[in-house]
Amino acid sequence: MNKTKTILMSALVAVAMTACDTDSKNERTFSFPMANYAAQAGGEAAFSNSATTTRIDYENSLGEINYPTISLPNMSSGSMKISGLKLSSLPKGEGLQLSGTGVTPVVNGATSLGSANVTAYFKGYNGYYMIDFADGTSVTSFSIPLNYFSTTTVTSANQNPYTTNTADKNRYSVIINAEKKTANIDILAASFADKMPSMNMRFKDVNVLMKKNSVTLEADELIPVTYNSSNLEDPQPKYKITNLRAHGTPEHGMSLTFECAGTFYVKAALVDVYTNNQQ
């Protein structure tokens, strides 16, 4: 296997939660759980959580995406398959891209939605699919969970600004439930002050607004819980979270702000791929 092919396979392995080999070393099929937002030109939208499979042909630098089930406007549940996508690397080695212009997805065994422009990003541990049909219908899918590295800065009246940006501190995971329009935000090794012990913290049932190529999270007030390796939760009212706002796109990761305990103002820049020079 040549060096380029090895790099491409390594990048996809980082994203895939499950994977299985297909016919040869030159092909792999990966499974991704996704949160999907589908909208029609007239404004009608459909939301769904589903599995997808992505097949990569490394020998010919091609790929295909298959939704075994997906909700589309005016279609409660159907399937969609997109073939003939070109495989390429993203700049700065930050991942892979599948793309196609004027390809024709097969929807429920038909082609009634016509041709589409398709871009799929695989960045770090995250996947994003963006499909724009000629008739104005669009589909945007976000992997579940979205896993981010962060540069987190905390300010308060009682301390100097506190910043963490190492790979093992304040890592964020966003688990979207598109059907309920909510999300849980998990923070691994959360620490918002020098003397605050690191803890795994979870913000539950945050409101989600999914749009074409973006997602917004909002909560005016919530009680976070800590959780352990057995996923047992313990409410932490002394760390009450207020004014939580977050916005993310496939191209730029996510920005997140909130107040903790009425004292600490937290601002986090969340990125798909960790570098030693996060800003």
Side-chain angles (χ1 to χ4, degrees):
M1 184 178 296
N2 62 41
K3 181 178 181 181
T4 300
K5 193 178 299 179
T6 301
I7 293 172
L8 293 177
M9 289 187 68
S10 299
L12 265 180
V13 168
V15 181
M17 302 305 293
T18 60
C20 59
D21 289 318
T22 54
D23 296 339
S24 70
K25 293 181 179 179
N26 293 326
E27 295 184 2
R28 286 178 75 100
T29 299
F30 298 86
S31 298
F32 304 96
M34 306 293 280
N36 310 305
Y37 167 81
Q40 216 168 31
E44 184 179 353
F47 301 85
S48 60
N49 287 69
S50 68
T52 64
T53 57
T54 300
R55 176 179 168 273
I56 301 295
D57 175 354
Y58 296 102
E59 189 69 29
N60 298 296
S61 296
L62 295 174
E64 67 180 30
I65 297 169
N66 182 30
Y67 291 80
T69 61
I70 186 172
S71 293
L72 298 173
N74 296 322
M75 183 187 300
S76 59
S77 182
S79 63
M80 180 166 61
K81 184 176 181 179
I82 310 167
S83 303
L85 301 177
K86 182 179 179 181
L87 177 67
S88 59
S89 297
L90 291 173
K92 301 179 182 179
E94 292 186 351
L96 304 178
Q97 176 178 298
L98 286 175
S99 59
T101 301
V103 298
T104 304
V106 177
V107 181
N108 264 16
T111 57
S112 58
L113 292 179
S115 64
N117 296 332
V118 180
T119 303
Y121 294 132
F122 306 96
K123 301 168 65 176
Y125 291 89
N126 300 330
Y128 310 92
Y129 303 159
M130 295 167 287
I131 306 159
D132 293 306
F133 289 91
D135 74 344
T137 300
S138 65
V139 177
T140 301
S141 299
F142 299 88
S143 60
I144 306 172
L146 291 168
N147 291 302
Y148 294 111
F149 299 99
S150 74
T151 296
T152 299
T153 300
V154 185
T155 56
S156 74
N158 303 320
Q159 69 172 30
N160 293 325
Y162 174 72
T163 298
T164 59
N165 63 358
T166 59
D168 61 342
K169 294 279 285 184
N170 289 336
R171 290 179 59 178
Y172 291 75
S173 182
V174 180
I175 304 96
I176 300 173
N177 188 319
E179 295 165 344
K180 293 184 178 180
K181 301 179 185 176
T182 62
N184 289 349
I185 302 173
D186 287 355
I187 310 176
L188 179 65
S191 180
F192 303 139
D194 285 321
K195 296 182 180 181
M196 176 179 170
S198 294
M199 59 183 69
N200 295 336
M201 186 173 284
R202 175 171 293 156
F203 304 161
K204 300 181 69 174
D205 299 325
V206 177
N207 293 328
V208 169
L209 175 64
M210 295 179 71
K211 290 185 175 181
K212 181 180 177 180
N213 300 348
S214 72
V215 61
T216 300
L217 312 178
E218 295 183 347
D220 292 332
E221 182 178 303
L222 61 86
I223 300 300
V225 300
T226 55
Y227 63 96
N228 59 24
S229 58
S230 299
N231 212 33
L232 296 176
E233 298 179 348
D234 185 17
Q236 299 291 328
K238 66 180 178 179
Y239 292 119
K240 182 171 72 173
I241 303 300
T242 54
N243 299 319
L244 184 149
R245 300 292 184 270
H247 183 74
T249 66
E251 291 83 3
H252 300 110
M254 186 171 286
S255 60
L256 170 67
T257 60
F258 59 88
E259 295 172 25
C260 180
T263 301
F264 305 106
Y265 179 76
V266 181
K267 182 178 181 180
L270 311 183
V271 296
D272 300 281
V273 180
Y274 179 79
T275 68
N276 291 327
N277 299 305
Q278 286 192 72
Q279 300 295 327

